[in-house]
Amino acid sequence: MSETNPAATTGMTAEAAPHRYTAAMAAEIEARWQDFWDAEGTYAAPNPSGDLAGDPELAAKPKKFIMDMFPYPSGAGLHVGHPLGYIATDVFARFQRMTGHNVLHTLGFDAFGLPAEQYAVQTGTHPRVSTEANMENMKSQLRRLGLGHDKRRSFATIDPQYYKWTQWIFLQIFNSWYDEEARKARPISELIAQFESGARAVPGHTRAWSELSAGERADVLSGFRLAYASDAPVNWCPGLGTVLANEEVTAEGRSERGNFPVFKAKLRQWNMRITAYADRLLEDLEELDWPEAIKLQQRNWIGRSEGARIDFPIDGERITVFTTRQDTLFGATYMVLAPEHPLVDKFTPAAWPEGTHEVWTGGHATPAEAVAAYRAQAAAKSDVERQAEAKDKTGVFTGAYATNPVNGEKIPVFIADYVLMGYGTGAIMAVPAHDARDFAFARAFELPIRCVVQPTDGRSTDTSTWDGAFSAHDATIVNSSGADVSLDGLGVAEAKARITEWLRDKGLGEGTVNYRLRDWLFSRQRYWGEPFPIVYDEEGIAHALPESMLPLELPEVEDYSPRTFDPDDADTQPETPLSRNEDWVNVTLDLGDGPKKYRRETNTMPNWAGSCWYELRYLDPHNSDKLVAPDIEQYWMGPREGQPHGGVDLYVGGAEHAVLHLLYARFWSKVLHDLGHISSAEPFHKLFNQGMIQAYVYRDARGIAVPAAEVEERDGAYYYQGEKVSRLLGKMGKSLRNAVTPDEICAEYGADTLRLYEMAMGPLDVSRPWDTRAVVGQFRLLQRLWRNIVDETTGEVTVTDAEPDEETLRALHKAIDGVRQDLEGLRFNTAIAKITELNNHLTKAGGPVPRPVAEALVLMVAPLAPHIAEELWRKLGHTESVVHQDFPVADPAYVVDETVTCVVQVKGKVKARLEVPPSISEEELEKVALADEKVVAALDGAGIRKVIVRAPKLVNIVPA
């Protein structure tokens, strides 16, 4: 699309105005001030102690810790959508410095992860080489934006001295357990002491702790450790040779990359016992200053639900279910188990029971064949697909019957893919009359549907006429009477309480709480990640490396690719790249009891690991002895008034990280807090989600994206190389061929213009479309600002020492007051509007601008457009950087309007407009209005029935 030439924005030629603010001048000013800031350490935030201690006067000021979400150094570099949040936090940080705060604002890089590894596989380039090159490019792009970062504190997660502490934190978690009574993590050594002394019984054993073998002890402790290895179900893709996340599997059960089949498999994996913290993660959300939408997503992800555990007898044993509607137990007419449920094999008979309904068998001759075939079908689906509302319900009868404990009825046990082993107990009691999925399944398999909750929508209790389930929490229970207990006539809450008490008394269940949250799968079969600081002895027992052996550095390997297999061979297992380096894997170590042979863990940590604690490393980035010095952590992140759990003062990033990253970081903070390593129990006190900068995507007739910059608009239609193309607003990106880089805009207008435009586009939390043609509007604002202070012909400052007139004083102080409030509230678009209004007032007023007004204007602009502000501040005769100047304070006398216009209505029609003081009382305003000659004429002697006064802006007179 064509763009406006900034050189043509004024009438004078460059020769006639050699000191005009142009793109070339902006580039020179910006580069010079960026060099100055770096050389002077302008943005260095002093710690109260340690190697980054500095100016004690600055350190004594109130602190502000402002953070952006970790960027990943992509090879594609930045487009103009990426810096939106970075510019916003920079503006806010600059404003906080100018309002008396010691501000910590820096930026590091989340540099481990899959993209660099994939690039390494394709090109043979070591991931470190490509990642470091990408970081340098990104640093250059970010520097050009004039971001005020304390660069002494920057790091990348791939730095060994960083991931040394990531590994150290993993070991703290590994060596901890969660004490339910104390509601906190404690060292595993304290649990062992309880087992040794006999104060705590050893679960699963009748023998004393001292009588257990090393392997038995390790197994017991694994059931308590906050980091533990277990066999976990995963998405295994033999064609790619790797395990995939649910998000990487298509709805057809194939890999998003390569379209290979994906199978369910069980692999030995590391897990984090985040479920132990479910209640605290929920409770502590209340005190956080986060968007309610994000809190709701976290609550839903944790998924706390109160209900009951119910045991259904089967062949001398029991199937346990969890339900939140135990009041509907009389309506359970069948059960469903997850296909992977371990009891399926145990209770599946050799032959179909006599009279088995044909539709239940799936066309198979025996229950075993039916179960095996259905399991294979279910294994080809991802958990996401299994949970989706499918039109056709699938499943198969196991051939077994369980007993409904409340009425003794034998009910068939099915397996179906809509029940997941990872949720609840992997088994459900199906109450088809009152659950939509159960209803659809019952209709498909011709199962009984029994109404036990009286419908409130007019339908009868005869379910044969129903076309869907009925559910309500404020209805009456019916058809629920047995020999030992009756719920008929009770409300839902009363029925729940009664049946729960009955189940407990009979030993058939109990009230309990369940969570949707699962333990965090922490292993990856990848190369480019943090190695686990774990080794295994010859018996397969895991041992933690001592701190003296950290960091365990990532070794070199010749091949970064995971081993691939026949895409259809589900009976294969991953071979990790690290496992091929035998000299690294097989080692002899002395862990305190003499040299022994060990085998290293060959999985690596997920990319989430490094971003779980990076806010702490910013505080004390060079500390080689401690995770963070306690006084430094307390200073920047400790609890204080209004922030009972401590944390970062402002954290800005995309809403796409609402659950996983934020939940994981909160979990790590709580463990570290419990163990006494940090004072803050929460990592981020205030969270703000910025919107997205969108761009138009243009596609040809084949649906392929074409270069947006080369599209022409004619008569409301769009053409590329003469061919008509479609246009749709969407994401910006290299693959969509609509990316605009910040380098392009900086070259044409300057970084200050780009900063202003991105902040002026709309509210920060709302997505907005990019329009390169509109950027020139902010460039013109900066040109007018420059002209109001500097003579474009001579380059001399033109301000006057004369006092400003009252109108200008009012315009100035209203702007100061509004801009100050807007910057504090992250309303940068309206702050820019107020600055523009003041600047336009000065332009229209003509003549030299009074110095106090010019200086205040420059100070207001400084957080938003720091380079031009530094230049003008210096031209105005100041020798110190504008960065640490005080932000202007409004004079209240000039903020309030001297008069406001009051409308006077008679019979609902405006008859007069009065100029009155804003503080006028209702009584005084009524007197003034009734005395006005236009009002007197309008009344024409008529009496007055009523006078409605809304001081200071409205008087409504109702004649008699």
Side-chain angles (χ1 to χ4, degrees):
M1 308 294 289
S2 60
E3 297 170 6
T4 305
N5 180 0
T9 57
T10 61
M12 297 174 66
T13 64
E15 292 77 13
H19 298 280
R20 175 180 301 143
Y21 183 80
T22 62
M25 177 184 284
E28 186 277 325
I29 289 172
E30 288 164 4
R32 177 158 42 83
W33 282 111
Q34 287 160 19
D35 290 342
F36 174 86
W37 294 330
D38 283 350
E40 295 294 317
T42 301
Y43 303 108
N47 278 344
S49 64
D51 68 315
L52 297 185
D55 180 359
E57 190 175 324
L58 181 53
K61 291 183 175 183
K63 63 88 192 182
K64 283 289 180 184
F65 184 7
I66 298 164
M67 262 182 69
D68 303 279
M69 286 190 183
F70 241 176
Y72 183 83
S74 164
L78 299 175
H79 60 63
V80 292
H82 291 126
L84 178 67
Y86 305 149
I87 295 170
T89 53
D90 187 61
V91 172
F92 187 70
R94 290 174 179 279
F95 173 69
Q96 293 298 324
R97 287 190 192 95
M98 297 179 74
T99 52
H101 294 86
N102 182 21
V103 177
L104 194 167
H105 188 215
T106 190
L107 195 70
F109 294 92
D110 192 10
F112 275 127
L114 190 55
E117 186 173 288
Q118 289 175 317
Y119 186 73
V121 170
Q122 294 163 8
T123 65
T125 306
H126 194 289
R128 180 175 290 279
V129 173
S130 59
T131 301
E132 289 181 344
N134 294 342
M135 282 194 290
E136 288 307 310
N137 178 52
M138 195 165 170
K139 285 178 184 177
S140 174
Q141 287 185 296
L142 291 171
R143 184 181 190 271
R144 194 168 183 181
L145 296 174
L147 303 177
H149 294 150
D150 185 346
K151 295 181 180 178
R152 306 169 304 163
R153 299 175 183 266
S154 186
F155 53 78
T157 54
I158 60 175
D159 299 339
Q161 284 306 307
Y162 180 81
Y163 69 73
K164 164 189 174 178
W165 294 104
T166 307
Q167 293 170 336
W168 182 88
I169 295 171
F170 173 84
L171 292 180
Q172 306 311 301
I173 299 172
F174 174 73
N175 285 319
S176 301
W177 63 293
Y178 193 79
D179 185 337
E180 293 285 354
E181 290 184 9
R183 298 194 80 214
K184 62 180 289 188
R186 293 172 61 186
I188 202 77
S189 58
E190 296 180 9
L191 180 65
I192 294 170
Q194 292 182 13
F195 289 145
E196 288 175 337
S197 68
R200 180 185 289 263
V202 181
H205 293 276
T206 56
R207 290 171 291 150
W209 181 256
S210 59
E211 296 172 352
L212 302 184
S213 68
E216 288 173 325
R217 292 180 186 180
D219 286 343
V220 170
L221 294 178
S222 185
F224 288 85
R225 291 186 188 274
L226 290 177
Y228 64 95
S230 70
D231 291 328
V234 293
N235 298 312
W236 166 232
C237 181
L240 291 175
T242 188
V243 167
L244 299 176
N246 286 338
E247 293 77 16
E248 299 170 304
V249 182
T250 68
E252 290 73 36
R254 303 179 75 85
S255 63
E256 195 172 54
R257 183 164 54 92
N259 197 36
F260 293 112
V262 177
F263 304 93
K264 281 291 178 187
K266 276 200 169 183
L267 293 175
R268 193 76 172 167
Q269 303 282 290
W270 280 98
N271 298 271
M272 293 274 180
R273 206 179 300 275
I274 191 173
T275 49
Y277 281 82
D279 279 330
R280 282 175 59 187
L281 288 167
L282 275 173
E283 292 162 10
D284 291 353
L285 274 174
E286 300 306 317
E287 302 287 349
L288 300 181
D289 186 4
W290 286 18
E292 277 305 314
I294 301 297
K295 288 185 178 183
L296 180 61
Q297 286 184 63
Q298 291 226 346
R299 291 187 190 106
N300 290 342
W301 189 265
I302 294 167
R304 186 182 192 277
S305 52
E306 294 186 15
R309 177 183 57 75
I310 304 175
D311 294 332
F312 285 71
I314 180 171
D315 294 347
E317 296 196 40
R318 297 179 176 190
I319 297 175
T320 300
V321 304
F322 170 82
T323 178
T324 59
R325 290 302 304 267
Q326 60 268 41
D327 55 302
T328 64
L329 183 52
F330 279 93
T333 58
Y334 65 98
M335 297 188 75
V336 183
L337 274 58
E340 307 89 347
H341 199 291
L343 290 180
V344 173
D345 291 330
K346 192 168 186 178
F347 297 123
T348 299
W352 293 115
E354 187 176 345
T356 296
H357 199 317
E358 188 178 341
V359 75
W360 295 4
T361 69
H364 296 280
T366 67
E369 289 177 24
V371 166
Y374 190 78
R375 277 178 161 171
Q377 177 185 329
K381 294 182 179 180
S382 70
D383 286 358
V384 173
E385 185 187 4
R386 283 173 60 171
Q387 288 179 290
E389 288 295 331
K391 183 178 179 182
D392 298 319
K393 293 297 177 189
T394 64
V396 70
F397 178 42
T398 64
Y401 285 85
T403 302
N404 186 330
V406 81
N407 57 15
E409 183 178 334
K410 295 290 185 181
I411 59 176
V413 179
F414 285 76
I415 58 171
D417 60 12
Y418 75 90
V419 177
L420 302 177
M421 197 61 222
Y423 293 93
T425 64
I428 66 165
M429 66 175 207
V431 184
H434 309 295
D435 180 273
R437 290 190 306 175
D438 294 347
F439 185 92
F441 190 92
R443 281 280 193 258
F445 289 88
E446 301 177 18
L447 288 155
I449 300 174
R450 182 181 304 132
C451 174
V452 294
V453 179
Q454 181 69 49
T456 56
D457 58 359
R459 71 175 91 177
S460 74
T461 57
D462 177 7
T463 60
S464 64
T465 62
W466 290 13
D467 58 4
F470 167 79
S471 180
H473 289 272
D474 57 352
T476 302
I477 302 300
V478 296
N479 300 326
S480 297
S481 216
D484 292 338
V485 63
S486 174
L487 307 180
D488 287 343
L490 299 179
V492 170
E494 293 172 283
K496 282 185 177 182
R498 180 172 295 182
I499 196 67
T500 301
E501 182 181 7
W502 182 86
L503 288 166
R504 187 190 66 232
D505 292 345
K506 293 289 185 180
L508 292 167
E510 62 182 351
T512 187
V513 176
N514 196 50
Y515 300 90
R516 182 177 180 271
L517 181 67
R518 300 295 97 188
D519 281 346
W520 172 16
L521 185 66
F522 200 70
S523 294
R524 295 295 183 270
Q525 294 70 44
R526 300 288 187 187
Y527 169 69
W528 193 232
E530 299 91 340
F532 282 91
I534 293 289
V535 292
Y536 300 90
D537 63 23
E538 292 177 329
E539 294 180 38
I541 298 172
H543 297 265
L545 290 181
E547 187 177 332
S548 61
M549 291 187 182
L550 303 182
L552 173 59
E553 295 201 29
L554 190 64
E556 297 298 320
V557 295
E558 292 183 4
D559 182 6
Y560 311 112
S561 307
R563 181 184 172 191
T564 58
F565 301 88
D566 179 337
D568 296 307
D569 189 353
D571 297 324
T572 48
Q573 293 237 332
E575 180 185 287
T576 64
L578 286 183
S579 66
R580 301 185 194 123
N581 189 329
E582 292 190 11
D583 291 341
W584 183 82
V585 173
N586 299 301
V587 291
T588 299
L589 301 172
D590 185 349
L591 300 184
D593 53 356
K596 292 182 180 179
K597 290 182 178 179
Y598 295 96
R599 178 177 53 84
R600 295 195 191 279
E601 171 64 69
T602 59
N603 284 311
T604 53
M605 297 186 197
N607 62 306
W608 306 105
S611 59
C612 274
W613 72 281
Y614 69 123
E615 71 283 353
L616 297 170
R617 193 61 177 172
Y618 283 151
L619 308 181
D620 198 8
H622 312 134
N623 196 330
S624 58
D625 299 322
K626 286 187 176 180
L627 180 75
V628 57
D631 66 316
I632 293 174
E633 188 273 336
Q634 174 71 46
Y635 173 83
W636 288 110
M637 289 185 63
R640 62 203 66 219
E641 188 177 351
Q643 299 182 18
H645 303 300
V648 173
D649 295 290
L650 176 66
Y651 191 39
V652 174
E656 65 272 17
H657 298 295
V659 174
L660 298 183
H661 158 60
L662 292 172
L663 204 61
Y664 298 156
R666 295 182 64 214
F667 166 55
W668 277 35
S669 283
K670 291 187 183 306
V671 176
L672 291 170
H673 173 264
D674 288 355
L675 298 175
H677 298 300
I678 58 175
S679 66
S680 48
E682 287 284 343
F684 315 114
H685 172 69
K686 181 178 175 66
L687 175 69
F688 190 95
N689 298 128
Q690 87 272 18
M692 182 188 299
I693 289 184
Q694 300 170 304
Y696 286 108
V697 183
Y698 298 89
R699 297 185 185 275
D700 62 19
R702 300 166 299 167
I704 296 174
V706 301
E710 299 174 30
V711 171
E712 295 179 353
E713 181 180 356
R714 297 201 300 268
D715 301 324
Y718 303 92
Y719 296 86
Y720 171 67
Q721 296 182 347
E723 304 249 337
K724 194 172 183 180
V725 294
S726 64
R727 184 180 84 154
L728 188 68
L729 191 62
K731 287 185 177 181
M732 182 180 286
K734 193 174 181 180
S735 64
L736 297 173
R737 309 193 75 178
N738 62 355
V740 178
T741 69
D743 303 39
E744 295 172 56
I745 304 302
C746 288
E748 187 157 2
Y749 297 102
D752 280 339
T753 294
L754 174 62
R755 290 170 60 103
L756 279 177
Y757 177 65
E758 295 214 359
M759 294 299 95
M761 290 171 77
L764 184 59
D765 57 349
V766 175
S767 294
R768 70 293 302 272
W770 177 267
D771 183 357
T772 299
R773 293 168 299 180
V775 177
V776 72
Q778 299 307 315
F779 183 74
R780 288 172 178 150
L781 167 62
L782 294 180
Q783 286 186 314
R784 287 192 293 270
L785 169 67
W786 183 268
R787 282 198 301 273
N788 277 332
I789 296 173
V790 177
D791 187 300
E792 292 184 331
T793 305
T794 65
E796 296 299 315
V797 171
T798 59
V799 300
T800 176
D801 291 330
E803 288 295 316
D805 59 42
E806 185 158 327
E807 185 182 359
T808 297
L809 281 172
R810 290 194 177 280
L812 171 64
H813 287 281
K814 280 186 180 180
I816 292 172
D817 181 61
V819 170
R820 195 180 185 101
Q821 291 183 48
D822 287 344
L823 293 182
E824 185 65 54
L826 304 176
R827 297 184 298 273
F828 304 130
N829 59 321
T830 53
I832 292 169
K834 292 177 175 71
I835 288 170
T836 303
E837 188 178 347
L838 174 62
N839 198 48
N840 289 344
H841 168 84
L842 299 175
T843 301
K844 290 174 185 174
V849 175
R851 175 175 288 276
V853 179
E855 292 188 345
L857 179 57
V858 169
L859 292 171
M860 279 189 279
V861 166
L864 294 148
H867 308 91
I868 193 172
E870 282 281 27
E871 187 73 7
L872 290 173
W873 191 247
R874 192 58 58 100
K875 283 182 175 293
L876 286 166
H878 301 281
T879 57
E880 294 183 351
S881 170
V882 75
V883 170
H884 292 287
Q885 298 304 307
D886 291 337
F887 199 84
V889 177
D891 184 336
Y894 291 109
V895 171
V896 179
D897 285 329
E898 193 170 17
T899 62
V900 294
T901 301
C902 175
V903 173
V904 183
Q905 295 178 331
V906 177
K907 289 186 180 179
K909 294 182 179 180
V910 177
K911 294 300 180 181
R913 286 185 170 82
L914 312 174
E915 294 300 315
V916 298
S919 58
I920 193 170
S921 68
E922 291 190 353
E923 294 79 6
E924 184 63 26
L925 184 57
E926 182 178 341
K927 288 179 185 176
V928 172
L930 293 174
D932 183 83
E933 59 183 25
K934 293 179 181 176
V935 173
V936 171
L939 288 170
D940 194 24
I944 297 172
R945 180 158 59 93
K946 192 178 195 181
V947 179
I948 302 167
V949 182
R950 298 287 183 268
K953 292 190 174 180
L954 176 68
V955 176
N956 191 7
I957 302 169
V958 182

